[in-house]
Amino acid sequence: MDHPAPRPPVLSEPGFDLYGPLSPDRPVILSVPHAGRDYPPALLAQARVRPQQLARLEDRWVDLIAHPLIARGYSVLVARAPRAMIDLNRHEREIDPAMVTGIPRDIALHSSTKLRGGLGLIPRRLPGAPELWRGPLSWVEVQRRVEGLHRPYHAMLARLMGAAREAHGHAILLDLHSMPPLPPPAAGLPAPGVVLGDRFGRSAATRLVTLAADVAAGHDILAAQNHPYSGDHLIDRHGRPERGMHAIQLEIDRALYLDATLDRPGPGMARIRALVAAMVEALAVEMPGAHYALAAE
């Protein structure tokens, strides 16, 4: 990959690189599930579109934002497999049946708004690209990707979260993503630069999300909460506040850290790195206990 991390990974598998300790020495863990840029030739050969269009599925260069935290020794899990191959932020049964042949009759598939929009476990389409692939995949190929990429990523996250809770009494997952620039909520008002998602209070203690929003405000960046992104499968799966396992999705406006074409790292990268580092450091010293009210209650 371009722009190598400041430290080598402690573990590298086909689907991810893990930086930092397997037993986190701080309660905050970072996940970057849509940063993968390793496109196998076989995947590109299956594509109906150019590689540049498949790259639109990425959260472009968002993994670079975590580099200062890797340097400080935080546990950071970064996807290697591109989202075009498999979306780690979808349920493993969130599959468009029209894309897959040979689905066993006893398999119950999941539907969702994202799936119907073409962005299921295996992305199908994008604006301007109504079909990304030349033909359907076999069920065997889908299961190969699930077993080789999706399940190992989530198993490692679960392991890290469990180890952090064991060591510190709680664990906090910050799931890094990027988004297109949002419009202002009303005339004369600034547009949010970040969106914090906690599944409307189901995946993290309210106090933690409020703290993260306050840190953003201290860096002159407006944070929205749950609108238009409340988080998806990843934080829904790993966030269990009642068990001391908190998960927050952080969406960052790409215009804040990429260049004018939204394709390469830009002059705002240092500012956003500082913001996310400050957010993580603040979360790392919080002690979310039973006395913190959850938004879902």
Side-chain angles (χ1 to χ4, degrees):
M1 288 187 181
D2 297 338
H3 306 282
R7 294 185 179 186
V10 299
L11 180 63
S12 188
E13 295 197 358
F16 64 78
D17 286 327
L18 172 64
Y19 300 90
L22 281 164
S23 296
D25 55 13
R26 282 157 284 196
V28 181
I29 295 153
L30 286 92
S31 164
V32 195
H34 288 164
R37 296 185 288 275
D38 289 355
Y39 290 86
L43 183 73
L44 297 178
Q46 293 168 352
R48 188 187 293 267
V49 299
R50 295 174 300 167
Q52 293 88 336
Q53 288 181 287
L54 295 181
R56 289 169 52 199
L57 289 161
E58 298 172 14
D59 286 342
R60 197 77 169 145
W61 303 109
V62 75
D63 52 310
L64 272 59
I65 294 170
H67 279 190
L69 293 159
I70 291 173
R72 296 180 196 183
Y74 278 87
S75 297
V76 181
L77 191 65
V78 180
R80 293 178 58 87
R83 186 181 181 188
M85 176 173 279
I86 193 164
D87 192 335
L88 302 170
N89 200 24
R90 298 290 183 269
H91 192 280
E92 66 177 61
R93 292 289 180 264
E94 208 167 332
I95 295 169
D96 184 342
M99 293 183 67
V100 182
T101 61
I103 300 174
R105 292 184 178 182
D106 60 344
I107 295 295
L109 300 182
H110 292 200
S111 185
S112 68
T113 302
K114 294 286 181 67
L115 175 67
R116 291 188 292 274
L119 295 176
L121 180 75
I122 310 295
R124 180 174 182 176
R125 57 181 173 268
L126 284 167
E131 290 290 344
L132 297 176
W133 310 108
R134 297 184 184 278
L137 294 173
S138 70
W139 177 253
V140 171
E141 171 60 17
V142 172
Q143 287 305 103
R144 186 187 69 82
R145 297 183 191 184
V146 167
E147 293 170 6
L149 302 171
H150 192 279
R151 289 179 185 171
Y153 191 93
H154 286 279
M156 179 54 67
L157 269 186
R159 177 177 176 179
L160 292 168
M161 292 284 282
R165 183 180 63 176
E166 181 69 21
H168 308 289
H170 65 280
I172 303 169
L173 173 64
L174 190 65
D175 192 40
L176 289 184
H177 295 262
S178 69
M179 62 183 182
L182 295 176
L189 296 179
V194 301
V195 179
L196 296 159
D198 66 354
R199 304 294 290 166
F200 297 96
R202 295 195 301 273
S203 71
T206 303
R207 171 113 176 213
L208 297 176
V209 180
T210 301
L211 173 63
D214 288 345
V215 172
H219 285 72
D220 296 320
I221 294 176
L222 178 64
Q225 295 185 28
N226 289 307
H227 297 286
Y229 305 106
S230 64
D232 213 292
H233 173 69
L234 196 145
I235 66 167
D236 199 43
R237 175 170 177 166
H238 296 283
R240 294 290 182 270
E242 70 280 3
R243 301 178 190 171
M245 313 276 270
H246 304 265
I248 301 169
Q249 178 175 285
L250 175 61
E251 293 272 4
I252 304 168
D253 181 348
R254 292 170 193 151
L256 295 179
Y257 71 92
L258 294 179
D259 63 10
T261 67
L262 302 183
D263 183 58
R264 305 294 299 179
M269 179 65 76
R271 179 190 182 203
I272 298 305
R273 281 176 163 175
L275 163 66
V276 174
M279 198 176 284
V280 168
E281 296 282 11
L283 291 170
V285 298
E286 279 292 294
M287 296 293 289
H291 61 289
Y292 284 175
L294 301 182
E297 295 178 343

